[in-house]
Amino acid sequence: MGIDFQRLESPVVQAGMGSIARHELAAAVSEAGGLGMIAGVRAPIAQELAAARALTGRPLAVNLLLPFLRPGDAEAAAAADVVVTFWGPPRRLAAGTWVHQCGSVEEAKAAAAAGADAVIAQGVEAGGHVRGSTPLPELLERVRAAVRIPVLAAGGIVDSGGVQAVLDAGAAAAVVGTRFLLSDECRAHADYKRRLVEASETVLTELFGLGWADAPHRVIPNAATRRWLRGDARGPYWIRVANRLSAPLVHRMPPGLQARALAAQRPSRPFLGPQPPTDDGPAGLVDSGPLYAGVGVGRIADIRPAAELVRALTP
């Protein structure tokens, strides 16, 4: 394995949050001693990696979502020090260090059998898309007992106490998302960040599933969730079925048409995609898109530089 996670200056890995974890955040985290991760979904991966390399000489990771791989994505990500994969049967995409994020013991064992250098045990407490249904402490213990490769821990970790707890439980490092979402370098929309600072609750739903159906995700409430989540927290059954049936068509939509559909997304319309609000995207997504956050969001009260957060998270 090219990266020894237990030898990182800080045992903190920044999660590869889709569209909002770009080179600025990844480079800042790595330069501060953690491991920064660039989100590789529908992103110019080679350009983002080059921009991050210009800011730090330390290791960098790229996160790839298996259902959304495009031609050339794996080859571009291979230039990173670590490739992290998520959501789907684990498979190696590059020759370097490969980590697969898992929501179950079975998936962790499959990743180890496929040659993964490490796995991330993602507890149900995590923000964004959630692979399993097991709380992190239980999942971490079970995965560590089932595989002989390093296990990292993700889900609800927002402070140094949380990092220390998973290290004490045998994790090689902690994977942190929501706390880094509330950093200066994160490319989330300013109103998205503000709402997270004010938030005290999350909901696990499948509402924002246009183009990515049957994929539970944890968000804070907004206008869209208040409009559509009046019974089943997963969302109305007919919306979930429609998302499932339309997925092949959505995946074939040209990027320009996808961008227009995103700009037209409204809380009152039932078909809502997984794109979060970014600082360079439609501001309306703050109410019509997913505001991803983990269960620890209520314990975060500020927005700070990523380097400060790495230091604050380090036990």
Side-chain angles (χ1 to χ4, degrees), residues 10 12 32 160 180 304-315:
S10 171
V12 173
S160 60
F180 283 118
R304 296 160 63 185
E308 285 188 16
L309 295 179
V310 172
R311 291 191 289 271
L313 287 160
T314 303

Side-chain angles (χ1 to χ4, degrees), residues 24 45 73 78 125 297:
E24 303 94 340
I45 297 172
D73 280 352
E125 303 92 336
V297 67

